[in-house]
Amino acid sequence: MNFSTYKLIFIGCFCTNLVASCSSSAVPGNNKDAPAAESKENPYYSRTDTTKLDVTDAEWKKILSDEMYHVARESGTERAFTGKYWDYAGIGTYYCAVCGNALFKSDGKFSSECGWPSFFETIRPNAATYKEDKSYNMERVEVNCGRCGSHLGHLFDDGPPPTYKRYCMNSIVLEFEPDVK
Ligand code: FE
């Protein structure tokens, strides 16, 4: 083996290592654009499995952030004008951030200027479930995720046509995914 051959082997090894180190940023676990809840730490998260979940609050407490747990499992409400989607106009789909269930399309969203993301319809009839809520001396309809049962927000009758409904949601329990062009 002469000197030129050694040189070729050295350059070949260098290039292989360079490609390997560059491509490591593409593995799923390192993808900064991946939805936050879609991780190995949340075994219940799925955008394809529509089977209803029966998970205890104690189990969710281990999986969700404190802020998400408070809204999703303790019917908390984020402060108006603070969530990431109240004034957001991206084209795509909103999923339940707790379990991955598809909830709304962006074409069902409208600007209600109430400080929370507002929709006039769900992506499909059984995407959400509804419950009478008489807390805080008010008569409201609570909206829950149709798959995991998490609290999402409330439903009001002051929305725009054609449904005249207003799904007043908490951003923290929503996860937006843009349409692929
Ligand atoms: Fe859910």
Side-chain angles (χ1 to χ4, degrees):
M1 210 181 284
N2 59 27
F3 178 70
S4 295
T5 310
Y6 277 121
K7 217 162 65 176
L8 280 174
I9 290 170
F10 175 77
I11 291 169
C13 288
F14 178 77
C15 288
T16 305
N17 285 334
L18 190 68
V19 168
S21 61
C22 288
S23 61
S24 68
S25 63
V27 299
N30 290 345
N31 184 357
K32 289 178 188 164
D33 297 327
E38 194 170 23
S39 65
K40 286 176 187 168
E41 292 85 49
N42 185 350
Y44 306 104
Y45 189 99
S46 175
R47 289 188 177 178
T48 51
D49 184 357
T50 55
T51 310
K52 285 203 175 198
L53 294 172
D54 186 14
V55 179
T56 64
D57 284 344
E59 179 71 1
W60 283 126
K61 187 90 176 167
K62 292 183 212 164
I63 295 167
L64 307 177
S65 68
D66 290 347
E67 294 80 9
M68 198 187 287
Y69 182 87
H70 177 59
V71 171
R73 309 309 302 182
E74 297 177 329
S75 302
T77 302
E78 65 194 8
R79 282 187 297 126
F81 306 102
T82 62
K84 57 183 171 180
Y85 297 130
W86 76 269
D87 194 24
Y88 186 69
I91 307 297
T93 304
Y94 291 84
Y95 296 87
C96 172
V98 176
C99 77
N101 183 37
L103 296 169
F104 304 100
K105 290 292 287 181
S106 55
D107 56 13
K109 191 174 190 287
F110 68 99
S111 178
S112 73
E113 297 175 358
C114 64
W116 291 277
S118 301
F119 303 83
F120 58 80
E121 65 183 2
T122 57
I123 196 167
R124 60 181 195 285
N126 60 352
T129 57
Y130 308 90
K131 203 163 65 181
E132 191 180 60
D133 177 7
K134 291 189 173 179
S135 63
Y136 301 103
N137 288 324
M138 291 187 277
E139 288 199 10
R140 295 180 294 174
V141 175
E142 179 182 359
V143 181
N144 298 102
C145 171
R147 179 167 182 254
C148 73
S150 289
H151 174 82
L152 302 172
H154 289 92
L155 179 62
F156 301 97
D157 291 323
D158 55 7
T163 65
Y164 299 96
K165 297 289 184 187
R166 174 168 60 97
Y167 287 80
C168 183
M169 303 286 98
N170 289 282
S171 292
I172 197 165
V173 288
L174 299 179
E175 191 172 65
F176 176 77
E177 183 74 33
D179 283 349
V180 178
K181 289 183 181 172

